[in-house]
Each structure stands twice: as structure tokens, then as C-alpha cells.
Amino acid sequence: MTVRTTRTTRAVKTVRTTRTVRPRITTGTAGPGRPALAAGALLALLALSATACGADQPPSLFADGTVQVGTKNDQPGTAVVRNYKFSGFDTAVARQVLKAVDAKPDFGIVPSEDRRAVLTDKTKDLVVATYSITVDRMKDLDFVGPYATTYEGLMVRKRDNRIKKPDDVNGKRVCTWPGTTAANTLESPRYNRIQVYEAPDASTCINDLKVKKTADAVSIDQMILYGFTQENPDLKVVPDITYGSANQYGIAMAKGHRQDCLKLRDALRNYLGDNAWSQDFATSLPSIPKADATWETDFKPRLETVDSLSCRDRPGT
Amino acid sequence: MTGPGATGTENSHVDGRGSHFVAANAIRNVIIKWVMHPSARWAPLLAACTGLVIAGSTWPDGPASQYALWGTLAGLSVASAAARVLHGKPQQGTADSRHVRVVGILSLFSVLATVGAWLAFQHVVTHGEVDVTGQVHTRGVQPLDDTGHRTLSLLLDAPALREPRNALRLTLAIDDHDPAGPTCLPDTSATVSLLTSGVAAQTRTVRPGDTVDFTLGARARSVRIDLLLHTAHGCRMDVRATGAVLHDM
């Protein structure tokens, strides 16, 4: 499995089209054909204007039916690769909303810290990778979402009963990884009694907690933590400990595709409005319905929130 | 057949019209004499410029839009006064009465525009909007959250209220304390209550960026507005007044 770094030829096609229709403006002497020349020049000018207007509109991301989607490969439950196939709730959401716009995803792996870059440098069309919507990120990217809502939580070894309430974490080594809002939250002075450290990625944190035992806990969004417990039965999520405010996961895209963004927003609204969301969530993350009786209330976003955060430069109120 | 009585009535009408005509003519002549006097050439421009200087020295601030009428009239008064100054004496062969008419109209127009501008300016001074955004003080610890720190007071002291106005228009920005963290704006609102002595308590609910109007009554000496934040679990928000304008309702 490799990360696809090439871009489709869509942009190249646009340039070629522009070149072929660009009119050549010539000056000539007056003669019998002057009205015809004038009419020709006018038509050429109109064609040039039309081409210029057309060039302002970027081609639809869904035009060729396949959309390059960046996602994770190491988060069981949300996005993971098994036998060269992507699965998890993020990938289910991507498939569902793209199906509504007659497109299908071509998944590629994107680490947390590269999620913004792959969109701005046009390596990917969309990123669906437990990417939280923040005011800062909305300035650079458009989001469709949230498609899920989750608090940051704590995961410990199943037999470790030292951590049951927030104060128990003081003095403990807590692993997280860069590029996440979780790492940002725990850097706050409110949590300065927790020994937070960053590992390169999720897998390293899990290894530190489970095998090396150099970490007492791993902190990231509860939805992701529950996913890890599905493949690591010797780990558990501490139910009564959350940090910060709720993360709102969104489908990210580069700015400049507002029409596509609005189409995906409508698709997401429909997806949230019927049973498909709950079925996909329960299929991908069965550990959550088992642990949380009010899981639909806790993890399913409201449609009003989708309207407030989708396809905007700052949250609507 | 007409009798002497009828003729007498007709004569009295003619006499009445004639006396009115004589009076109007006399006034016209006085105006023309004043307008055409060499010392009156600069008088309208002097009056317009004096008005501008006084307006500039007593400028009450507030949004520019409320000065539109004043600005238009002041501009017209200066322009017409300048035109009157520049309008030279008629050349030989040009009708003198036309010159008198143009100078008279320009002078009259300039004086009327100056008076109108002055009245418009006085209206702004008395009833115009006063921007006091920079004078709003906050009392309370920020950021606010959903548990312990939910309240904040916004205060306007006596110096901010020296221009008597009967209403306050307040715009509140409520932002995520950490813009790099998850946003709480869709789940956030605030209840704001005006608690000022002598004024009936008024309560409004606002969303981030909303504007609310409070009635202040005839003469408020200080204003206190208490704010109670409503937000989701774990959210931390900053509140500030981005607009505070005193005005008359």
C-alpha cells in the first residue's frame, strides 16, 4: 500500500482547453470585409470572455466519478487497512456521501500531521480521517460536517485500576501523537500535572501502553479509543474522564469548491437523517453501543450543527 | 352699467396689489443692494467656512453615515459660496439684471445651505449615535465555561454616558478561547440582562455576533449588563463587546 501522490490530469485538461479557444486579435486595413471582421472580433471577444468566466469555476471534484480521499490506516473502527482494503466508520461515511453525488472514493493513507497539506497541495480531493473542525482550520479548508461528535478521553490497560477519575491521572505518563486536537488540549495549563508526551503515531502509543508499559494511558478522542479496544481486548476506555470540548469530525476539502461542498453537505444531511448512519456506526464501532446506552445522542451530530459548520469560512450561529 | 361704488372697489383692489408690489419691490431692492455690495462677496463663503470650523471643533464622533445630510449641505454651501465669489462682473453688453439674478440665487442658496447644515449638525449633536465601544469595561474572569465561570459584567461608567441618549445598542462577540481546538460556537448562546438603577430590568438571549438594544430611560448615570453563558460541556469561551452605541430611539 502506498500513498498516492500524483494528481489527476484534470488541471492539465483545463489549460489545454483554454489555449485552443483563445482568439488571436489582429489589426487589418479597412476594406470590403470590415463589417465581417468586426463581427468576427466581437464573437472572438465573447468567446474569450466565456472562456475566462469558465476558467474561474474550478472543475467539479466529482467530474470523473473517482475522488481521491485521504484517510488513516491505523485506527481500527474509524479507518484501518486490512488485506489492502480500507474499512471503518470514516471510510463508510466517505462511501455514503460520495455515492449520493455519483462518485466513489479512491482511498489513500494520510498521517494526522499531513491532513491539511495533502489538500492544499492538491494531492487529495477530500480528507475523511477523524479530522476535527476548528475555527483555525476553517480559515484554510472547507469542511462538510460534523459526521460524528466525540470527546477526548483516556484509555488504560484493562487490569490497571489506578485511574478511575480525573485526579487519578495527575503524575501519570499519558501518550498522544502530533497533529491532533487532543495533543493541543492536554498542553493547556489546566492539565500541567499530567505528564503528557507525544509519540510519532497511534501505533507507537498503543505499543508503549500495551507492550512496553512506558505509558500509563493513551489520550485521544473516545471514538478512536473505543476502536482500539476492539482490536486490543486488554485495553479499556475510562468512561468518566473526558478532556476539553467535543470534537466535531468533518470531511475536509481545499477551498474553492463550494458547490461540491454544498452537494456533500446535503448528502450528509440525508445520511444523518435516516438509519444508515446508525447502522454504519454500530457496524464499525460495536464497542461503543456496548459501553454507552445513549451512544446515538452522544456521537450523532445535530443537523443544525451541520448547517453551522459546513462550507463556511467561520462557524455560523 | 357700473356705478361709482363698483369703480371704488376696483380701485381699492388695485391699490392693495400696488402696495404689496411696492413692498416686495422694496425688499427685493434691499436684498439686491446687500447681495451686490462689494463687502458681501465673501460673506456666504465666510459663513460656510465658519460653520465648518465650528463643526470640526465640536465633532461628536459616531458612525459616518449620520453625517451624510450635514456633509451634503455643507458641501453645497461652500460650493455655492465659492461660485458666488468667482462669479465676476458682467462684460460689456451682457445684461446686468442676469448677473444680479445669478449672484442673488447663489448667495441665497449658500446661506440656506449653511443654515440647513448647521441644523443637521445640531441634530446629530443632540440625537446622533455615540460610539462608546472602547469605554465598555468587563468585570469577571475569562474564559467563561459551562460550569464555574459562567457570568461576566459589562459596565459603562458616567464619562461614557455624558451625552444623554435613551438607548444602548450592544454587539457581542463570543469566541472559542482556543481557536485551534474544537469549536463550540454552534452550541453557545448567552443571556444578557440590563441591571441599571432607575431602568426596568431587560433580558435578552444572544448568539455569538448578535446585536441587542436596551432602553436606558431619560438619564442613566451608569450601565451594568450581566451576561450568563450557555455552552456545551468542556467549552471555554471569550466574550467581548465589539460594538456599543448610544442612540435615541
Side-chain angles (χ1 to χ4, degrees):
Chain A
M1 183 66 53
T2 54
V3 179
R4 296 183 58 163
T5 53
T6 54
R7 177 74 181 151
T8 63
T9 55
R10 208 177 287 143
V12 177
K13 283 176 190 166
T14 310
V15 172
R16 282 178 186 156
T17 309
T18 308
R19 279 180 185 164
T20 53
V21 295
R22 184 176 294 164
R24 179 176 293 176
I25 299 170
T26 56
T27 54
T29 54
R34 194 172 177 179
L37 267 176
L42 186 66
L43 281 172
L45 200 66
L46 285 171
L48 181 67
S49 308
T51 309
C53 291
D56 287 344
Q57 298 286 328
S60 170
L61 298 174
F62 321 131
D64 60 10
T66 302
V67 178
Q68 305 300 318
V69 179
T71 191
K72 299 288 190 68
N73 69 332
D74 58 354
Q75 292 182 183
T78 52
V80 71
V81 181
R82 295 281 181 266
N83 300 321
Y84 306 103
K85 285 185 73 178
F86 283 86
S87 62
F89 186 61
D90 285 349
T91 59
V93 170
R95 287 189 182 98
Q96 290 279 4
V97 296
L98 287 175
K99 187 178 167 189
V101 295
D102 297 324
K104 58 182 181 181
D106 181 8
F107 290 112
I109 301 162
V110 176
S112 291
E113 63 270 29
D114 292 344
R115 290 177 292 191
R116 178 179 173 277
V118 296
L119 291 171
T120 52
D121 68 13
K122 310 283 185 191
T123 309
K124 299 290 177 197
D125 298 319
L126 304 176
V127 164
V128 191
T130 55
Y131 202 13
S132 293
I133 304 172
T134 72
V135 171
D136 279 354
R137 287 172 180 167
M138 285 177 84
K139 291 173 189 167
D140 301 325
L141 303 171
D142 271 351
F143 283 91
V144 176
Y147 61 85
T149 300
T150 178
Y151 279 92
E152 184 184 339
L154 207 69
M155 182 171 68
V156 296
R157 291 181 289 274
K158 200 162 194 172
R159 291 182 181 175
D160 187 349
N161 293 316
R162 294 174 299 160
I163 299 174
K164 290 181 177 172
K165 56 185 189 300
D167 286 349
D168 296 339
V169 191
N170 294 340
K172 302 291 190 299
R173 277 175 62 79
V174 175
C175 184
T176 186
W177 54 94
T180 64
T181 51
N184 190 49
T185 303
L186 289 177
E187 280 173 10
S188 159
R190 300 163 81 191
Y191 307 118
N192 58 9
R193 290 198 284 172
I194 303 173
Q195 293 182 44
V196 182
Y197 75 97
E198 283 189 3
D201 50 38
S203 308
T204 310
C205 273
I206 300 294
N207 198 49
D208 285 358
L209 177 67
K210 195 174 147 182
V211 182
K212 289 187 182 173
K213 296 193 167 86
T214 51
D216 296 305
V218 170
S219 180
I220 195 72
D221 304 340
Q222 283 186 325
M223 210 168 115
I224 299 171
L225 294 178
Y226 276 112
F228 283 128
T229 63
Q230 290 172 185
E231 294 203 347
N232 300 278
D234 47 347
L235 301 177
K236 66 178 179 185
V237 177
V238 185
D240 296 329
I241 297 179
T242 63
Y243 297 107
S245 55
N247 285 276
Q248 322 264 14
Y249 291 155
I251 301 166
M253 63 172 66
K255 286 204 181 287
H257 301 278
R258 224 10 103 73
Q259 289 304 315
D260 290 340
C261 187
L262 292 169
K263 283 179 190 169
L264 287 182
R265 182 201 63 185
D266 293 343
L268 178 63
R269 287 181 108 263
N270 292 335
Y271 178 49
L272 288 166
D274 65 24
N275 284 330
W277 184 94
S278 299
Q279 286 170 2
D280 286 341
F281 192 91
T283 303
S284 301
L285 292 155
S287 55
I288 292 180
K290 276 183 195 168
D292 183 356
T294 58
W295 63 277
E296 280 188 295
T297 311
D298 295 340
F299 291 89
K300 189 174 184 177
R302 292 179 297 125
L303 293 181
E304 299 82 48
T305 312
V306 174
D307 293 337
S308 296
L309 298 179
S310 293
C311 314
R312 293 173 181 271
D313 298 329
R314 59 165 285 120
T317 55
Chain B
M1 192 176 78
T2 52
T7 309
T9 309
E10 206 169 71
N11 287 340
S12 72
H13 281 165
V14 170
D15 288 345
R17 266 188 249 134
S19 63
H20 286 149
F21 179 75
V22 170
N25 213 27
I27 292 169
R28 181 172 167 269
N29 286 337
V30 167
I31 290 173
I32 289 172
K33 193 177 174 185
W34 176 79
V35 163
M36 299 309 294
H37 193 276
S39 63
R41 189 180 181 193
W42 293 90
L45 189 60
L46 194 66
C49 290
T50 306
L52 281 179
V53 170
I54 294 173
S57 61
T58 58
W59 195 257
D61 286 330
S65 59
Q66 66 185 352
Y67 295 99
L69 180 60
W70 170 82
T72 306
L73 290 172
L76 287 173
S77 74
V78 171
S80 52
R84 189 259 176 267
V85 169
L86 296 173
H87 196 268
K89 284 186 177 177
Q91 291 174 346
Q92 296 245 327
T94 309
D96 192 51
S97 63
R98 189 175 163 231
H99 171 72
V100 170
R101 200 180 305 131
V102 170
V103 167
I105 287 170
L106 285 172
S107 301
L108 186 64
F109 188 80
S110 176
V111 169
L112 289 177
T114 302
V115 171
W118 181 251
L119 292 174
F121 186 76
Q122 287 305 313
H123 183 267
V124 172
V125 169
T126 316
H127 300 289
E129 298 188 343
V130 183
D131 189 350
V132 291
T133 308
Q135 297 173 72
V136 177
H137 307 289
T138 56
R139 188 191 297 159
V141 179
Q142 297 214 54
L144 302 179
D145 57 32
D146 66 311
T147 52
H149 301 101
R150 297 180 62 193
T151 59
L152 188 76
S153 292
L154 303 165
L155 306 165
L156 272 174
D157 297 329
L161 301 166
R162 65 177 181 273
E163 300 291 340
R165 298 290 186 274
N166 63 20
L168 171 68
R169 187 164 58 240
L170 185 69
T171 305
L172 288 173
I174 307 176
D175 295 311
D176 293 301
H177 178 64
D178 178 10
T183 181
C184 295
L185 286 175
D187 298 315
T188 300
S189 64
T191 303
V192 283
S193 306
L194 178 77
L195 302 169
T196 296
S197 60
V199 181
Q202 298 157 57
T203 300
R204 311 264 191 280
T205 300
V206 293
R207 307 271 299 162
D210 276 1
T211 298
V212 284
D213 244 313
F214 290 112
T215 307
L216 297 181
R219 185 90 196 183
R221 288 183 182 164
S222 66
V223 168
R224 180 180 146 204
I225 294 166
D226 279 1
L227 180 144
L228 177 66
L229 187 80
H230 312 282
T231 190
H233 171 66
C235 292
R236 304 170 80 214
M237 312 300 291
D238 291 326
V239 178
R240 66 196 161 90
T242 53
V245 176
L246 296 168
H247 66 106
D248 278 337
M249 273 183 159

